[in-house]
Amino acid sequence: FKQGNILTVRDRIRDQVGILNLESENLEFEDMGVHSLHAIGVVSQFCRNLSFKNVKFEPAEGSGRILASSADFLHFSGCAGKILVQGCRFSGAQDDCINVHGTYLVLDGILAEKQVKLRFAHHQTYGMQAFWPGDTVSFVRRNSLQTTALALVDSVRRLSDREVLLSLDRAVPSGVREGEFVIENLSWTPEVEIAGNYFTRTSTRGTLITTPRKAVIRNNVYEKVGMSAIFISADADNWFESGAVKDLTIEGNRFIDCAYNSGAVILIEPTNTVDDAPVHGTVRIISNSFESEGRERLVHKSVENLVLVE
């Protein structure tokens, strides 16, 4: 430490959220100042069509504070329709600025020909309605993150906060084994546009995105983002945040002094341990400016059709 340094602390228990958007649609947040968010910031869970325009997620001017959230600013879990984040400022998060993902549930039992028991695997993720009748789900092999089959949900029964019983429209495919597979809800995956925003003062990541639908990250500025400015994962091992990217464009962004803590400025790193087929599909990285001297611009794993244009 040096004289004049500012130290920050936080309670790691995420017992509340600043704003909760739950099972809603067509929500618009515009021309707002959001200056203090308890624990995780704005959580949008199983919502359809959300937009954030010209919202300042940062400490109030003149407050003397440097933090505005003790975890993520915008966290989208299992949303659908379109997510738009445009012209916003993100400064002073103690975790990621934007995170867009679904949830893998572990296959915990095959109870009948068309019936499976699923389990929320991460200790902080449980208790939510993750499936509805008519939803399309995929069987995903945990070690390779490859989808092996699809099915439709006929009915859902909650067994406990952590266990769910699904009845499907067809038999569980042969070769599917308890513990070796996770289930992803493909019906609740969003199209995403993140454009014209400014990200700074976070020690973790700027934007996490895992969705199979069209996604665009364009004309943003990422300055002094401690880890990767953009991180593409898919994780059936730790956080169980789901979604193989299939159509992502990263274009015209400016990256200034990013990845000084760890990682690359842009990091594509799914958690698969078997790499017999790509996890992620088309990713286009076009006409971006990298001003992070001495740090890797791009590290990638298990992605096909990667397009790089200076």
Side-chain angles (χ1 to χ4, degrees), residues 216-260:
V216 176
I217 303 174
R218 180 177 287 137
N219 297 336
N220 303 283
V221 176
Y222 295 86
E223 183 171 10
K224 296 188 182 301
V225 173
M227 297 170 69
S228 297
I230 298 173
F231 180 37
I232 303 159
S233 183
D235 178 356
D237 186 56
N238 182 18
W239 287 98
F240 293 88
E241 294 183 354
S242 71
V245 164
K246 299 301 180 185
D247 183 1
L248 171 62
T249 300
I250 301 171
E251 182 177 10
N253 302 284
R254 186 180 179 191
F255 302 102
I256 307 168
D257 197 17
C258 295
Y260 55 82

Side-chain angles (χ1 to χ4, degrees), residues 74-93:
L74 290 178
H75 194 108
F76 301 92
S77 173
C79 291
K82 182 173 181 179
I83 293 170
L84 173 64
V85 183
Q86 185 178 66
C88 297
R89 287 179 56 88
F90 300 91
S91 176

Side-chain angles (χ1 to χ4, degrees), residues 113-116 132-139 149-156 166-173:
E113 183 186 35
K114 299 181 181 180
Q115 198 171 67
V116 293
W132 282 263
D135 286 349
T136 298
V137 298
S138 60
F139 291 83
L150 303 178
L152 296 178
V153 176
D154 275 348
S155 65
V156 184
L166 289 190
S167 295
L168 306 173
D169 72 327
R170 65 201 70 182
V172 176

Side-chain angles (χ1 to χ4, degrees), residues 156-171:
V156 184
R157 183 154 66 93
R158 178 189 178 119
L159 301 177
S160 69
D161 281 351
R162 293 195 174 273
E163 293 181 317
V164 178
L165 187 68
L166 289 190
S167 295
L168 306 173
D169 72 327
R170 65 201 70 182

